[in-house]
Amino acid sequence: MPDGSLGFAIGDVQGHDVEAAAFMGQVRTGLRAVAGVTTDPGDILGRANNLLLSMSSDLLATCTFLRFDPVSGELAGARAGHVPPSGPPPPARRCNLDPGGLPLGVFPDQRYPVTHRRLTRRGAFVLITDRVVEGPTFPIAEGLAQVTRLVGAASEADADELAAKVIAVADLTGHTDDAAVLVLRHDGGPYR
């Protein structure tokens, strides 16, 4: 990003056809364009939402956008209707957990609350799509709990190994599509 921080995103679009794929491309392009003028994850999602609505599509997308500042070790994130990332629990006094906001492409001028964490211990954050943790006979709470346990127990694991373990949870959901995992490893600093 322009200030030297790193941006990471994962999303899921409504539908499975060519129109849905094209819309997801617009989401990706919109996020990249907006991240060139602001680094606040909530602002990025809000502006991308308005940009997508100006294109008059009937589709919507969920998304998580994270910004990592390698100087301070801060991870800031916002969600637009997307499942939360899994990672070590933040100290309560340093993090205000938020419920996220509406998916992108629903209503204009939405606000997306930002969660701030300071990464002080070696570990990983894992971004997933809902199909990794939810299915017709597999409740999302159970899937999220399994992924959280895997991430918590794998603070030293290689990113590829952790991704393989997390994506294996998707086999329990009964779905055969739309499962994606992004593992972000960090060393816990010092960052200065």
Side-chain angles (χ1 to χ4, degrees):
M1 298 176 76
D3 65 352
S5 62
L6 305 171
F8 302 93
I10 192 167
D12 195 8
V13 67
Q14 169 190 19
H16 297 94
D17 56 10
V18 173
E19 183 183 3
F23 185 71
M24 199 63 197
Q26 292 172 331
V27 171
R28 182 176 184 265
T29 301
L31 288 171
R32 288 183 70 87
V34 171
V37 295
T38 182
T39 59
D40 178 83
D43 195 27
I44 290 169
L45 291 179
R47 290 180 185 207
N49 177 60
N50 286 342
L51 177 64
L52 292 168
L53 284 167
S54 73
M55 295 178 192
S56 301
S57 175
D58 292 331
L59 297 177
L60 60 90
T62 65
C63 181
T64 295
F65 190 94
L66 298 180
R67 175 191 175 264
F68 177 67
D69 182 343
V71 175
S72 69
E74 181 185 71
L75 183 71
R79 297 183 302 118
H82 203 77
V83 294
S86 294
R93 68 182 187 280
R94 292 192 177 170
C95 179
N96 179 19
L97 293 176
D98 64 76
L102 291 175
L104 303 174
V106 178
F107 293 115
D109 303 322
Q110 292 299 297
R111 296 195 182 274
Y112 296 93
V114 179
T115 300
H116 297 271
R117 293 177 171 89
R118 184 118 200 295
L119 304 181
T120 58
R121 294 178 288 149
R122 181 176 170 84
F125 270 85
V126 177
L127 302 175
I128 57 175
T129 56
D130 61 347
R131 296 297 189 247
V132 174
V133 292
E134 178 182 38
T137 60
F138 194 74
I140 192 167
E142 185 177 333
L144 287 171
Q146 284 196 21
V147 169
T148 299
R149 279 193 299 274
L150 286 170
V151 173
S155 64
E156 301 295 322
D158 174 75
D160 290 336
E161 292 172 21
L162 180 54
K165 289 178 181 179
V166 171
I167 200 71
V169 175
D171 293 338
L172 305 172
T173 68
H175 284 289
T176 58
D177 62 351
D178 290 327
V181 174
L182 175 61
V183 175
L184 309 173
R185 299 276 307 136
H186 59 88
D187 63 12
Y191 297 102
R192 293 187 189 262

